[in-house]
Amino acid sequence: MTILDGGMGRELERRGAPFRQPEWSALSLSLAPSSVRDIHLDYIKSGATVITVNSYAVTPYHLGDRFFAEGEQLIETASRLAFEAVQASKKPDSPAAVQIAGCLPPLFGSYRPDLFDAKQASAIAHPLLSAQVDYVDIWLVETQSSIVEALTWHKLITEFTATQKELAQKPIWIAFTLDDSQLDSATDDTNDTIEPDRAMSTPMLRSGEPVAEAVQAMMALNVDAVLFNCSQPEVMNSALQVAKAIIDKESHPMQLGVYANAFVSKQIHKQANAQLRQIRKDTTPEHYLMWATLWQASGANIIGGCCGIGVEHIERLAQHMADKQ
């Protein structure tokens, strides 16, 4: 089992580090970089075997025109902080070093497939790739709301890699965010039981495209893993089951993963960067572990957390997985 880290932005906010909209987690890269490094270290200490570079909010959507002047330096800083945390965590008698996932975020805003512009994608993507490539072990394409977003990122990674022939090719993981708007009327966000069938029967991306089509498209590209992220726990299992059935039918080696968020359902479908969302009261570490155990049973072998899922959640998850070995 691969244990991902949890969210960065809300962990920064919880610790009193610089954090606000629209810069989100990018603000601390310039104002409090040690806070970012400390959180990486705490996730590693909690048992994460993969940590993610804090470059999610380093896009024009969050930074505006500052991105084109300062973006690449901020991304390099984020990459270096993750690298320093891994180096600091190494011990002579420890197992293999923690891996670093290079964060490749939605280029035109989370949950906004309507804003995606393939013609403008390369100008934003190139700094994200070039500033992370020397530090990361995996490319993690996060929170993709549509198939075309994921296809475009894969194309950009492939083209970039072709210019970096001296470097070993890195695994590509694609994470899709799911339509969880139906949960507005399906949950009160204080439920401490597991009801995986409360959500939609046909899992969809936020674009309205079926998860089945997204998985088939990623299999055609031979990506190394498909994950589902930044959606509520209730919608993840049905997506996993659909994906697992398709993968098994084709005997494909693609891995599956999940890292859910903890947002209050009444705010799920609002514009992602419009305001700071409230966090659910029922996503305790023990309750999140109940979901993670279900996801593992449904075929996930990469599990972590997204927005609002913190160090204590990952520690409980890692402890449970270690106890099962």
Side-chain angles (χ1 to χ4, degrees), residues 124-144:
I124 304 171
H126 189 270
L128 285 154
L129 291 164
S130 61
Q132 296 186 77
V133 67
D134 291 334
Y135 295 94
V136 306
D137 305 292
I138 300 159
W139 291 121
L140 176 56
V141 181
E142 297 198 89
T143 321
Q144 301 295 284

Side-chain angles (χ1 to χ4, degrees), residues 196-216:
D197 297 326
R198 276 197 304 177
M200 62 184 59
S201 57
T202 303
M204 301 282 188
L205 307 187
R206 294 190 188 272
S207 61
E209 299 166 294
V211 162
E213 291 183 13
V215 173
Q216 289 164 343

